[in-house]
Amino acid sequence: MSTTIPVQTPAEPAAPAHAVPAHRSTAPARTIRPIPMTRLAKVELRKMFDTRAGFWLMASVGIVAVLATAAVILWAPDSAIDQETFSSAIGFPLSVILPIIGLLSVTSEYSQRTGLTTYTLVPWRGRVITAKILVTLAIGVASMFLALAVGAVGNLVGSAITGLDPVWNVSVGEFAQIVLANVLGMLIGFTLGVLMRSSAAAIVGYFIYSLVLPAALGALAAFQEWFRDLQPWVDINFATTRLFEDTMTAENWQQLGVTTLVWLWIPLALGLRAVLRAEVK
């Protein structure tokens, strides 16, 4: 009968408490920096030109300015060849195009189903929306300066054709009010975009806002005397139109502030809250 004696191997020495596991890197952790706002703005600007529809919509700003200038030169009487006439002719179609650009900058993320990719690459939705707003405002201001330049060229050409001296009857203050009016229009389009998040619905909503609503409120003011004095305080189109005239008084600025608060700033705040909280599919 044999007896087996177990042999015990010496235990491995315990690792000191401060030792670092072999699989864990000793390199210092890298801080992840957010994407710069300038890069986000460049991306959002490029998005507006990426599609064929977006490219021609942006190009229509220059095309419309040239066509309106040519129409004034061809058909306007000699007495109407001045900078104000050219600015008015160019500004009217731009007041329709620019808000559509503003709303499409938001709704394209949902209509083209790129929102999920955008908000995955940049999880901070607020920074993306901020970049969209900055690009929208920049396009609006740049479009106004482009329209001013095209109108100035048209004024020089028209004056040379008619043999009259060019008339520069648009002051810096008037031009600033025109820029403000068009920027507010773009923000209205942007607001409709963040509220509806659908290109078709936002465009329909914009035409109701710009065509149906002013006509309805104008008819109400024409037939109801009690509403006549109230209209400037509740009709944003009525209050904004005065920016195209050099007759803004202190009361007119107050009316503009009240109407934009009701029709622009409060809806914009609600729409931004919805965009930041809504699920993107």
Side-chain angles (χ1 to χ4, degrees), residues 115-129:
L116 185 59
T117 303
T118 298
Y119 296 134
T120 300
L121 295 175
V122 187
W124 304 277
R125 295 189 193 180
R127 303 186 76 244
V128 176
I129 297 300

Side-chain angles (χ1 to χ4, degrees), residues 74-158:
L74 291 175
W75 292 300
D78 294 350
S79 59
I81 300 297
D82 53 34
Q83 184 65 35
E84 184 177 4
T85 302
F86 286 100
S87 298
S88 300
I90 298 173
F92 178 74
L94 288 186
S95 65
V96 177
I97 296 175
L98 292 179
I100 294 178
I101 294 176
L103 68 88
L104 289 179
S105 68
V106 180
T107 59
S108 60
E109 297 283 2
Y110 300 87
S111 300
Q112 300 174 11
R113 299 183 182 276
T114 59
L116 185 59
T117 303
T118 298
Y119 296 134
T120 300
L121 295 175
V122 187
W124 304 277
R125 295 189 193 180
R127 303 186 76 244
V128 176
I129 297 300
T130 301
K132 290 181 181 293
I133 293 178
L134 293 176
V135 170
T136 298
L137 296 178
I139 289 176
V141 175
S143 300
M144 289 298 97
F145 278 97
L146 175 63
L148 179 66
V150 174
V153 173
N155 191 20
L156 292 173
V157 173

Side-chain angles (χ1 to χ4, degrees), residues 15-19:
H18 63 274

Side-chain angles (χ1 to χ4, degrees), residues 32-68:
I32 300 177
R33 298 181 179 180
I35 300 175
M37 182 59 66
T38 54
R39 188 183 306 172
L40 291 177
K42 290 178 181 178
V43 171
E44 294 301 328
L45 180 62
R46 188 176 60 189
K47 284 181 182 180
M48 295 188 174
F49 293 89
D50 278 349
T51 63
R52 186 176 301 175
F55 172 80
W56 285 110
L57 182 62
M58 296 295 293
S60 66
V61 174
I63 295 173
V64 164
V66 173
L67 292 178

